[in-house]
């Protein structure tokens, strides 16, 4: 998983039907990384500014009860305040 | 998922038979990223210049009813006008 | 998928038995990318110098009837001459 | 797999229920890499400062008896002291 | 797959039980790439200094009869001497 900060969200009205009802949060990776911001489905209830754990790949679908959805990233935890993010 | 802008399309006459009938759009990632432009199958109807959500990996196949196709990226949503793409 | 140019091929006599009979082409990504050249199995018949679509990950195995082979990249289409590769 | 050094851990109280009971270690890749630090589940008992093998992707879930958990990275071995990490 | 050169090996005594009996080789990618050296399981018998094909992701597990092991990279072929590695 990667650690990231929730920096925004996006709205998509025209989308794959298996995505209906999901929230799409924009997450900025906390560590230098080869990738820029990513969009992760949030079923945990993360707010803007919170640090989160993001699972990517098939883990996002299968681990979050969305096995047949086109989801490749999901917020799977909110990191407790005071954690030292090395 | 990543956010990207549709910048073009490609045509491939000689291709895997499981790809027949698909549209291949070239998507430029909106955020700095380790990857350059990618080619995504589009079943949503995105047009050149629109910002889209792209799912990658097995999510593209399985989430878009193409489980047995050699597809590793698919446009799964069109981002609404006015969204702030942080 | 990514767009790439076929720049060579490799021969491997000692290899996993599930790979026997495959052609291994070296593909140079057409867009700036985090990865360098990759080796893709070719079942389409691409020639040196042609631009191709390469599927990566499980899509290469499952979408090309090689579900039990150790293949993570496959040429799945040859891009038509005259395509504008943005 | 990649080689990395365990540099810390994170705590997440609000998380996906399939993650309950897991330890999340922050691992710094030992080689120059396109990715920064990653968070890996640890079932081996690695300590801060130890060098470890990290498996990523579906291997982390399926190979560590967490097939239905949203886990994309796991510590799967502790590298013996004295190994030369080229 | 990627082409790489075997530059070393690592030993891990404390490891996931599904990894017991495997050899872990350190492979340096031959082409500029976003990733540094990776650790690949070797069932082919590659030696230090040889150039090899490495399969990554689920292909490494499923294509090499290690479907339930936490393995995300495997040496699947040794490249013949004299191959031109473009």
């Amino acid at each position: 998983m990667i650690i990231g900060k929730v920096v925004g969200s996006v709205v998509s009205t025209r989308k794959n039907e298996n995505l209906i009802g999901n929230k799409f949060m924009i997450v900025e990776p906390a560590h230098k990384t080869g990738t820029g911001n990513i969009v992760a489905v949030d079923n945990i209830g993360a707010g803007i500014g919170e640090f989160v754990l993001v699972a990517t790949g098939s883990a996002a679908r299968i681990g979050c009860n969305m096995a047949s959805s086109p989801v490749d990233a999901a917020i799977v935890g909110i990191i407790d305040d005071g954690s030292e993010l090395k």
Side-chain angles (χ1 to χ4, degrees), chain A:
Chain A
M1 288 75 68
I2 63 164
I3 297 173
K5 185 179 182 179
V6 181
V7 294
S9 61
V10 288
V11 177
S12 171
T13 302
R14 292 164 58 197
K15 59 178 176 287
N16 182 297
E17 63 182 9
N18 292 325
L19 292 176
I20 294 174
N22 284 300
K23 281 170 55 188
F24 304 99
M25 309 306 281
I26 304 178
V27 178
E28 177 183 284
H31 299 99
K32 282 185 186 175
T33 171
T35 60
N37 291 359
I38 60 174
V39 177
V41 167
D42 177 24
N43 294 322
I44 305 286
I48 306 283
E50 286 190 299
F51 283 92
V52 293
L53 280 177
V54 176
T56 59
S58 58
R61 285 187 298 113
I62 295 169
C64 298
N65 300 317
M66 303 182 284
S68 56
S69 296
V71 168
D72 61 13
I75 294 175
V76 296
I78 298 172
I79 295 176
D80 290 9
D81 287 346
S83 290
E84 190 178 1
L85 304 181
K86 295 201 179 180

